[in-house]
């Protein structure tokens, strides 16, 4: 298997964790390249559910080396809890996990700022996960961020932390009228984290490029989704990192010539958590129905996910900006009870039909989705193990999606368990 990037082609939660788990069988390395613990990637194995926030989903397979790349923002407390949680469940971590020395660290002041910013803007808020992701990437871009390598050097760490705490405390007290944070307690906690994290620290570019020289295969695990990408998403209702395929290079130090394939993951419908436009969002009764059947509650925050019909306009654009060569369609089973299924094929805006979305966010609320209707299959698909065994209406629905997107469907998933999916 060549090197593959797996990305979400909608607004996150497409089932990337499950697809990564499937593809890991044939990989040697699995690497997260962006985002942080705003992600929640679910894998269900042997009746047990695992939700990964920072550690790549490949960790559940024995002997696969998992890397947290330089593009990821790491909350060390969350990481250590995740490591301990997995160890308790019998997962081997110590010889299978590497953390980039260039990854930026999330501090308590990032989490506090995330929440204060959201509260201050009120109705115009983004609906973030409150994990400090945006403020941490802000510090990275402002060149004041603290990286894993800085934490390992006590003198440097102390200096950088002091500077940051002083600067943030001005913001807390003068702008947000909030209590300041305390240098001493943060410093003490992070020194403890340093002890526990240091055995895992690696250089991601060196490790991964050496692996490629030895013909090892690498899976790049995207978090969030294309429409949450800082450049290509529904800005400003996005996350603060590059969730598209290009992020895999930037966030690991592996060059684009070493990447062979990009797999886009989509749900058979669409969901979104947080604020922002959503042209195919369901009206209330259908929303409740699909949310209940699809268990559409955030894996990280538990918030109810907004649900809607499959939007081919969104995904077509995602295919373009990621260079997606094939797609995995998940949660087909969630549509099993729908007498009619709809696909959005175009956007009507100011009397014109668009086949790619507008850049200006202010135009989005005016978008009217153009639908094409298909008969539902009204059959349980959760035990189907091949494309040929799907009900004819479900096959036609998927074939139509392929036709509209002009890419091949290579994986179909019909349930949350590892065995409820098949290659096409
Ligand atoms: P990710 O963030 O892209 O990895 O996706 P999440 O884990 O946040 O959300 C996907 C949810 O759908 C999880 O609860 C999965 O267990 C579940 N899931 C994945 N594939 C399927 C499927 O084919 N059918 C059903 N019913 N659930 C699925
Ligand atoms: P996975 O990897 C779905 C959303 C938040 C919010 C916006 C910005 O599980 O698909 P942030 O905390 O990143 O600043 O929030 O992005 N968001 C996600 N939505 N799945 C995710 O991750 C998400 N990570 C962030 O709800 O709208
Ligand atoms: Mg998720």
């Amino acid at each position: 298997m060549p090197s593959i990037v797996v990305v979400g082609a909608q607004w996150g939660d497409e089932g990337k964790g499950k697809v990564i788990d499937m593809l890991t069988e044939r990989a040697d390395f699995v690497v997260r390249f962006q985002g942080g613990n705003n992600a929640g990637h679910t894998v269900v194995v042997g009746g047990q559910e695992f939700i990964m926030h920072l550690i790549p989903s490949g960790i559940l397979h024995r002997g696969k080396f998992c890397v947290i790349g330089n593009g990821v923002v790491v909350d060390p407390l969350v990481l250590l809890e995740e490591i301990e949680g997995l160890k308790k469940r019998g997962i081997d971590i110590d010889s299978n996990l590497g953390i980039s020395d260039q990854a930026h660290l999330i501090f308590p002041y990032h989490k506090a700022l995330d929440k204060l910013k959201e509260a201050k803007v009120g109705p115009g808020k983004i609906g973030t996960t409150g994990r400090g992701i945006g403020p941490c990437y802000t510090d990275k871009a402002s060149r004041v961020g603290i990286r894993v390598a800085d934490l390992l050097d006590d003198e440097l760490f102390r200096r950088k932390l002091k500077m940051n705490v002083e600067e943030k405390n001005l913001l807390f007290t003068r702008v947000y009228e909030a209590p300041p944070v305390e240098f001493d307690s943060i410093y003490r906690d992070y020194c403890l984290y340093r002890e526990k994290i240091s055995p895992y620290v690696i250089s991601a570019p060196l490790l991964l490029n050496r692996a490629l020289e030895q013909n090892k295969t690498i899976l790049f695990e995207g978090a969030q989704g294309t429409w949450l990408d800082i450049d290509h998403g529904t800005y400003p209702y996005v996350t603060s990192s590059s969730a598209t395929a290009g992020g895999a290079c930037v966030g690991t130090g592996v060059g684009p010539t070493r990447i062979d394939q990009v797999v886009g993951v989509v749900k058979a419908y669409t969901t979104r958590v947080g604020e922002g436009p959503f042209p195919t969002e369901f009206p209330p009764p259908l929303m409740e129905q699909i949310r209940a059947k699809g268990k559409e509650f955030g894996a990280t925050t538990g918030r109810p996910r907004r649900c809607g019909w499959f939007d081919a306009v969104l995904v077509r654009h995602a295919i373009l900006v990621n260079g997606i060569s094939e797609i995995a369609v998940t949660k087909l089973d969630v549509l099993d009870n729908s007498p009619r299924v709809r696909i959005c094929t175009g956007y009507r805006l100011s009397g014109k039909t668009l086949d790619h979305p507008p850049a200006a966010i202010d135009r989005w609320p005016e978008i009217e989705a153009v639908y094409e209707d298909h008969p539902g299959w009204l059959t349980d698909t959760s035990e189907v193990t091949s494309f040929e065994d799907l009900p004819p209406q479900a096959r036609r629905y998927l074939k139509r999606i392929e036709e509209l997107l002009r890419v091949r469907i290579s994986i179909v998933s019909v349930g949350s368990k590892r065995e409820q999916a098949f290659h096409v």
Side-chain angles (χ1 to χ4, degrees):
M1 188 174 79
S3 292
I4 300 180
V5 181
V6 175
V7 289
Q10 294 160 324
W11 277 294
D13 302 328
E14 296 91 347
K16 298 176 292 295
K18 179 166 178 185
V19 170
I20 287 283
D21 176 64
M22 252 180 112
L23 297 176
T24 298
E25 251 169 55
R26 297 186 235 159
D28 300 299
F29 288 76
V30 188
V31 191
R32 275 278 308 269
F33 55 86
Q34 45 69 234
N37 62 304
N38 47 351
H41 295 180
T42 315
V43 182
V44 181
V45 192
Q48 281 198 70
E49 184 182 76
F50 295 85
I51 301 178
M52 252 66 72
H53 299 291
L54 277 166
I55 297 179
S57 305
I59 199 78
L60 302 179
H61 288 262
R62 250 171 225 287
K64 310 290 177 169
F65 199 82
C66 290
V67 174
I68 295 176
N70 54 275
V72 176
V73 287
V74 178
D75 184 331
L77 179 61
V78 174
L79 177 64
L80 291 168
E81 278 172 5
E82 197 161 310
I83 291 174
E84 282 316 306
L86 286 168
K87 279 186 179 172
K88 275 198 192 122
R89 296 172 80 176
I91 309 297
D92 179 20
I93 303 275
D94 288 349
S95 46
N96 292 329
L97 179 67
I99 303 163
S100 165
D101 52 6
Q102 293 167 294
H104 281 250
L105 293 167
I106 294 180
F107 286 86
Y109 48 78
H110 291 131
K111 291 183 258 191
L113 272 175
D114 196 353
K115 290 178 187 131
L116 287 167
K117 265 177 188 276
E118 287 276 275
K120 195 173 169 75
V121 292
K125 68 182 196 309
I126 308 291
T128 72
T129 58
R131 302 302 194 255
I133 307 296
C136 185
Y137 278 116
T138 301
D139 279 0
K140 175 177 177 175
S142 303
R143 295 157 292 181
V144 296
I146 302 180
R147 307 200 289 182
V148 170
D150 304 330
L151 178 66
L152 298 187
D153 176 337
D154 189 60
E155 193 45 46
L156 183 64
F157 174 57
R158 190 178 252 285
R159 188 155 33 90
K160 284 196 152 195
L161 182 64
K162 251 212 157 71
M163 184 189 77
N164 271 286
V165 166
E166 276 167 20
E167 189 218 0
K168 266 64 179 188
N169 278 344
L170 287 177
L171 272 178
F172 285 128
T173 53
R174 302 213 183 148
V175 177
Y176 294 104
E177 292 165 347
V181 293
E182 237 189 80
F183 170 84
D184 286 343
S185 67
I186 301 177
Y187 175 73
R188 237 186 354 255
D189 288 346
Y190 277 68
C191 287
L192 289 177
Y193 304 152
R194 169 168 58 210
E195 295 309 306
K196 294 189 176 166
I197 281 174
S198 55
Y200 300 104
V201 177
I202 48 126
S203 160
L206 290 185
L207 180 83
L208 297 173
N209 284 291
R210 275 186 197 138
L212 285 167
E213 276 162 25
Q214 293 163 11
N215 290 322
K216 302 282 186 209
T217 61
I218 302 180
L219 261 183
F220 297 87
E221 177 175 351
Q224 289 79 54
T226 301
W227 288 96
L228 288 172
D229 179 277
I230 182 94
D231 285 276
H232 298 289
T234 40
Y235 191 90
Y237 299 98
V238 293
T239 191
S240 304
S241 67
S242 297
T244 41
C249 296
V250 180
T252 62
V254 170
T257 51
R258 315 307 294 267
I259 305 224
D260 302 287
Q261 215 175 313
V262 181
V263 176
V265 186
V266 294
K267 276 179 183 158
Y269 47 102
T270 311
T271 63
R272 162 162 222 172
V273 205
E275 307 303 319
F278 188 168
T280 63
E281 192 164 11
F282 289 140
L286 197 52
M287 175 81 83
E288 263 81 71
Q289 225 170 291
I290 297 292
R291 182 180 287 151
K293 174 121 175 90
K295 301 198 176 77
E296 293 296 357
F297 295 89
T300 296
T301 57
R303 289 178 293 174
R305 294 178 183 145
R306 299 156 65 192
C307 307
W309 293 116
F310 186 85
D311 188 339
V313 181
L314 278 189
V315 179
R316 205 154 42 208
H317 195 76
I319 285 167
L320 201 92
V321 300
N322 287 290
I324 288 172
S325 41
E326 51 192 71
I327 57 171
V329 178
T330 65
K331 305 194 90 160
L332 186 70
D333 56 299
V334 176
L335 298 179
D336 283 353
N337 305 335
S338 304
R340 173 188 74 164
V341 284
R342 312 189 87 181
I343 301 176
C344 168
T345 56
Y347 286 170
R348 291 284 298 167
L349 191 63
S350 311
K352 288 194 190 125
T353 303
L354 311 177
D355 54 7
H356 283 276
I361 200 70
D362 287 355
R363 308 296 314 277
W364 282 70
E366 298 164 38
I367 291 170
E368 195 189 318
V370 178
Y371 290 108
E372 130 188 322
D373 290 353
H374 296 261
W377 41 95
L378 300 173
T379 311
D380 181 359
T381 58
S382 65
E383 289 182 13
V384 172
T385 54
S386 73
F387 187 79
E388 292 67 38
D389 290 336
L390 283 171
Q393 297 90 332
R395 287 204 304 265
R396 271 199 293 276
Y397 178 68
L398 294 176
K399 281 283 165 204
R400 182 61 181 144
I401 287 177
E402 270 188 337
E403 206 173 271
L404 286 166
L405 301 180
R406 286 180 237 110
V407 291
R408 197 169 78 77
I409 295 175
S410 59
I411 289 174
V412 175
S413 172
V414 290
S416 57
K417 295 181 192 146
R418 188 181 263 176
E419 51 284 6
Q420 287 176 301
F422 47 85
H423 291 274
V424 179

